[in-house]
Amino acid sequence: YLTKLVGSAPMSLNCMDYAIIIKKASERRIGITFANKLVNHAYDESNDFSLGEEALAMVKESHTYSSRITPIDASNKMNELVDNTRCFTTGVKDVDDKISGLFPEEFSVLAGYPGCGKSAIKSQGARRNAENGKKVLLIDLEMTASQTWFRMACGDLEIDVNTIRGGKVDESTRNTIKAYSRELANKYKKNMVIYQAPMTPTDILGAAMMEQPDIVYVDTMKNLAGKQNNQSTQQWYDEVCNFLRINVAQPVGCHVQVLHHVNRSSESENRSLGIQ
């Protein structure tokens, strides 16, 4: 009888395993609850529905449960980072050699003066990562998706974009461009998704939650929608960077890179292309 009592009494030996099971079950219940709310809100036509705002609510709700990190959680995460390295190429080998690439759950800014090649580097990096089997989300706020494929095709075929747009080529060249653009779109359709303007930071969160990418490119910061009239440009940029780092890169587990035009009127800035 005494042995039976000892065997049936709770013990602290396996408390960590039980705690992990309870935590995972709790997160699943939160997810189920949110999914049910999302369905109800989507069906309710009397209220405005925004997928981005709903996704943001989900992130904020999950943060109330997961912001506290125990030493054990931190240690396990550290082991995962060391043992299962994940990185993405910048698209430039010399830069990769210097900084070892781009990493999940991190945020970077690719800054430079207009016309110095930021978009070209972005396109090159996006394509290389897609070819390496990574899921790429392109938030292209300067061009439409069709213009993106068109410019990529012109670059690969070494044909001047403005020559095509000005109608200064023969029909054979036009057909070649159109066929190659479709070829590129089909080649990258599984690993590259393009969203075009208008997009707010919250919209980017919604897109990232839905697409679950490995890396997100935002081109460019100045074209993001959502800036309030009473906000200064610097305040808006700070808010955007913090939002994308905390609410997109970290929860989704992706890298977020934002392209930013440096103001030419500032003489104190270093006139070079840099990744910060």
Side-chain angles (χ1 to χ4, degrees):
Y1 175 74
L2 292 177
T3 301
K4 183 179 179 181
L5 287 178
V6 173
S8 61
M11 299 178 64
S12 62
L13 181 62
N14 298 316
C15 66
M16 184 57 69
D17 293 332
Y18 288 128
I20 292 173
I21 292 173
I22 293 171
K23 182 175 182 295
K24 289 182 177 180
S26 173
E27 290 178 347
R28 289 181 181 275
R29 284 195 296 273
I30 293 171
I32 292 170
T33 300
F34 178 81
N36 289 332
K37 289 181 180 178
L38 187 63
V39 170
N40 292 333
H41 290 174
Y43 275 112
D44 187 0
E45 297 183 359
S46 64
N47 296 322
D48 292 334
F49 178 80
S50 170
L51 179 60
E53 291 180 1
E54 298 291 343
L56 178 59
M58 177 180 178
V59 171
K60 288 182 176 178
E61 186 173 349
S62 65
H63 276 186
T64 61
Y65 292 88
S66 61
S67 293
R68 181 178 181 273
I69 303 298
T70 67
I72 294 295
D73 291 335
S75 178
N76 291 337
K77 188 65 176 178
M78 182 195 68
N79 292 340
E80 181 182 338
L81 290 174
V82 174
D83 295 334
N84 302 303
T85 55
R86 290 173 58 212
C87 64
F88 319 116
T89 179
T90 63
V92 181
K93 185 180 183 302
D94 289 345
V95 177
D96 286 342
D97 291 342
K98 190 168 185 177
I99 67 174
S100 299
L102 306 174
F103 300 92
E105 301 183 22
E106 293 184 2
F107 174 87
S108 63
V109 178
L110 181 61
Y113 291 96
C116 69
K118 298 185 300 298
S119 293
I121 291 178
K122 171 212 68 179
S123 297
Q124 185 168 315
R127 292 176 65 177
R128 296 296 174 268
N129 284 310
E131 290 165 3
N132 291 336
K134 309 300 183 184
K135 179 74 174 289
V136 176
L137 174 59
L138 274 180
I139 308 296
D140 204 329
L141 306 177
E142 294 194 327
M143 296 183 289
T144 64
S146 57
Q147 288 174 327
T148 298
W149 296 123
F150 168 66
R151 287 179 178 271
M152 284 185 185
C154 288
D156 286 0
L157 297 174
E158 299 182 352
I159 300 175
D160 181 63
V161 172
N162 292 328
T163 302
I164 301 290
R165 298 174 66 183
K168 299 177 182 179
V169 297
D170 55 29
E171 185 177 356
S172 175
T173 303
R174 290 197 298 270
N175 290 335
T176 299
I177 287 290
K178 289 187 287 186
Y180 190 72
S181 297
R182 288 192 295 269
E183 183 181 330
L184 284 177
N186 288 327
K187 177 180 179 180
Y188 295 110
K189 64 181 180 181
K190 290 184 178 180
N191 291 336
M192 189 183 297
V193 183
I194 301 176
Y195 282 64
Q196 56 193 44
M199 294 283 285
T200 66
T202 307
D203 292 332
I204 295 175
L205 170 60
M209 296 289 286
M210 185 161 52
E211 302 294 346
Q212 291 295 303
D214 292 301
I215 185 167
V216 180
Y217 296 91
V218 182
D219 186 6
T220 61
M221 189 185 300
K222 73 179 180 65
N223 291 328
L224 275 170
K227 180 179 178 296
Q228 302 298 317
N229 293 331
N230 60 349
Q231 281 183 304
S232 68
T233 300
Q234 186 60 51
Q235 288 174 331
W236 169 240
Y237 286 168
D238 289 344
E239 182 177 313
V240 167
C241 292
N242 286 330
F243 181 91
L244 294 178
R245 177 176 59 85
I246 296 172
N247 294 314
V248 179
Q250 294 176 359
V252 178
C254 61
H255 185 95
V256 178
Q257 183 173 97
V258 174
L259 275 64
H260 176 51
H261 288 325
V262 176
N263 188 351
R264 287 187 181 275
S265 64
S266 175
E267 297 180 356
S268 63
E269 293 167 330
N270 182 19
R271 292 176 175 268
S272 62
L273 178 67
I275 297 179
Q276 302 175 352

